[in-house]
Structure formats: structure tokens, C-alpha cells
Amino acid sequence: LLTEGLEVAVRPRVRRRTHDDYARIAHTEFIPQLGHRRVADLTASEIQAVYAAMLARGVSPRTVRYAHSVLSGALKQAVRWQRLARNPSSLVDLPRKAHREMRALDDAQARSFIKAAAGNEYGALWLLLISTGLRPSEALALRWSDVELGRLHVQRALTRFSDGSVEFNEPKTARGRRVVTLPESMTSVLRAHHQRQAADRLRAGPSWEDTNLIFASEIGRPLDFRALVRRHFTKILVAAGVPTVRPYDLRHTCATLLLAAGQNPRIVSERLGHESVSLTLDTYSHVLPD
């Protein structure tokens, strides 16, 4: 049922990454434990036992709740297909949602990071993330045609899969398609980056792939972000002497510094591409001036 539901009901309406995540959870957590059971005989206690085993292995409550949404969705589909009278997963108790502490650099740490990043081969990328609040996937999908008079037109996001293939999608939220104003200093950084990329293009010659991406490999291909983090981002953090954060936390840093400086939350929300200003306020209320 899980496999059929994922292929027939889920794949047509979700992105490839989402489908792949659902399929991974189905094949690692549910099929080994429940695959021998007829769906009509499945009980809430059996499902509860799977969740308990996951927690005992050290799986986070957040991941267990995500896994539950996968199984629950499949069982709801079974009810709609009239293969099941009711959904047993609706009777299961879920672990309490753990609070995820948001991490961000303070003003002094951000300045140290910017100074260290400026000398990095991919400094323009790290500086763009911390100065604009873009998601890494959005920055990696930017094309030079998206830059206009000191503004960025955010129109897509880049997803890389385990097989090395990439896919360009709509931004994460409906408001993700937006225009972001660039600080004047960032405009200068991008101009210098464009010149360096032109030199890469000359060196590559016929091997260059004309993707028009702002952030591309030495032959023009989309960047492997995980490799960049391992080879460059971690070293920048060490050189800057700042706490260990994720690249995504540069987005949080941008937002917290803007709000702490008194910027209008609605403007910050629009800059981040949040669905609503209430989401921004809920996420960053602890840094808002009294």
C-alpha cells in the first residue's frame, strides 16, 4: 500500500525531493516492520511500537512526527480507496514536538564572519547569504539575468539529488518569488565575482556550460553545496573564530540583525519570503526591541 500510494497518489502532486524523502522513510521504517501485515489488520499499537523503536534508536521526535505524516497519509488514501474502514494511525500518540533552538551570529560575530568570508574563493556566496537572508537553495539557483539595478529577482530554487542530478523548482513558499534589495557593498562583490567567473569561462574554453548561473563550478555547472560547506564554509567559521553554525543560519543572522536594529517586521518578512509576517514574528520575537 505504501509503495502504491507513493507512486499513484503522492508522486504526481509533490516535488521529487519530497517523494524521495517519503519513499526513504517508507522503506527504512515501515516496510521492514509492518510490510508483512495486511493493511486491514493493522492496529494502532503496532504503529505505536514502530515509533517507540525509532525513539529508542535515537531518532528525533521531529523525524518520528514526519514519519507519522507519511504513514498517516498512506492510510488516509487507503480509506478513500475503500480498502480500510478507518485510519488506525489517528489513534497513535506522537512524541511532543521538540523546540529547535535557532542559531544566529551576533553583530560582532557577523562582522568577523564577513571579514573571513571575503577572502574565500566562494566569498560572494557566503556574503550574499548573510546580507540578503536568501535560502542557500535560492542563492544557488540565481542567474545573472536575475540581477537588476541593485536588486535580486528570486524566482527559483536548486535541488540536488543523491545521484548527482539537479532540478530547478519554484521557491519554497508562495511568497518566495520576490525582489530583494542588495546592499551597495554586495553589488560591488557581485561585480568582482562576475569578473572572476569570466576568467573561469576563458580558462574552461569549450568545456564551459552556459547555465548563466551566478554561482557555478569552474566549468559553469551548478555547485554541489554540501561539498562547498565541507571544503570552505567550515574553514571560514574557524578563521573567523565564531560558533559553529549552519549555512542556513546565515539567513537567521540576517533576520535577527535587521529586527534588532529596528527594521519593520513586514519588510523583513518580505525579504525572507515568509508566507506571513506572523511567521516572522513567531520565529524571531526574542530579538524584537521591547
Side-chain angles (χ1 to χ4, degrees):
L1 172 69
L2 268 175
T3 303
E4 182 183 4
L6 288 171
E7 289 301 316
V8 176
V10 176
R11 187 186 286 275
R13 61 182 175 82
V14 301
R15 294 179 179 179
R16 177 182 165 189
R17 169 60 63 81
T18 302
H19 173 269
D20 288 355
D21 285 345
Y22 285 3
R24 176 182 52 79
I25 288 175
H27 286 90
T28 58
E29 303 296 347
F30 297 124
I31 292 177
Q33 304 298 324
L34 304 174
H36 64 287
R37 299 284 287 146
R38 292 178 64 250
V39 64
D41 297 332
L42 195 60
T43 66
S45 62
E46 290 174 312
I47 297 172
Q48 191 80 65
V50 173
Y51 297 164
M54 292 174 67
L55 291 169
R57 296 201 322 266
V59 176
S60 71
R62 180 173 180 269
T63 300
V64 172
R65 294 176 71 93
Y66 185 76
H68 172 75
S69 69
V70 175
L71 181 62
S72 178
L75 295 176
K76 285 178 183 177
Q77 187 64 54
V79 173
R80 288 193 289 269
W81 284 342
Q82 297 183 338
R83 297 185 187 179
L84 199 59
R86 65 175 184 172
N87 182 353
S89 69
S90 63
L91 305 175
V92 172
D93 293 321
L94 295 177
R96 187 170 61 179
K97 197 171 183 178
H99 175 69
R100 297 183 71 191
E101 192 67 34
M102 187 194 66
R103 292 178 295 178
L105 303 176
D106 62 27
D107 184 69
Q109 292 167 345
R111 292 177 185 276
S112 296
F113 176 87
I114 289 170
K115 183 177 180 181
N120 184 261
E121 180 181 353
Y122 295 95
L125 173 59
W126 315 121
L127 295 176
L128 184 77
L129 293 177
I130 198 170
S131 65
T132 63
L134 263 63
R135 300 175 179 91
S137 60
E138 294 171 338
L140 294 175
L142 288 170
R143 297 179 178 135
W144 287 110
S145 54
D146 297 325
V147 184
E148 177 191 29
L149 301 175
R151 299 185 302 173
L152 281 179
H153 293 262
V154 182
Q155 305 181 73
R156 68 196 73 82
L158 177 69
T159 302
R160 180 176 289 273
F161 300 97
S162 57
D163 62 2
S165 62
V166 298
E167 187 174 274
F168 291 93
N169 300 113
E170 291 288 316
K172 184 178 180 180
T173 65
R175 294 181 180 270
R177 185 182 286 270
R178 62 199 187 278
V179 177
V180 176
T181 303
L182 288 171
E184 187 175 338
S185 59
M186 194 63 230
T187 301
S188 301
V189 168
L190 285 179
R191 190 178 298 117
H193 175 70
H194 191 270
Q195 293 173 349
R196 286 194 295 272
Q197 191 179 83
D200 288 341
R201 183 171 187 162
L202 285 175
R203 282 192 296 270
S207 299
W208 181 264
E209 297 185 18
D210 195 11
T211 59
N212 200 34
L213 291 171
I214 293 179
F215 303 109
S217 71
E218 65 277 2
I219 58 172
R221 293 177 180 173
L223 290 170
D224 183 340
F225 192 65
R226 288 186 178 181
L228 287 184
V229 173
R230 290 194 306 268
R231 298 172 186 170
H232 300 276
F233 184 72
T234 304
K235 293 179 180 178
I236 292 173
L237 296 178
V238 173
V242 299
T244 299
V245 294
R246 306 165 303 164
Y248 199 94
D249 294 323
L250 299 182
R251 172 176 167 86
H252 295 320
T253 298
C254 176
T256 55
L257 293 180
L258 286 173
L259 291 168
Q263 181 62 272
N264 189 307
R266 181 170 296 278
I267 293 175
V268 176
S269 182
E270 292 172 354
R271 189 174 191 83
L272 297 176
H274 279 171
E275 280 287 0
S276 65
V277 68
S278 62
L279 173 59
T280 309
L281 292 171
D282 288 344
T283 306
Y284 301 105
S285 59
H286 63 291
V287 299
L288 290 171
D290 292 342

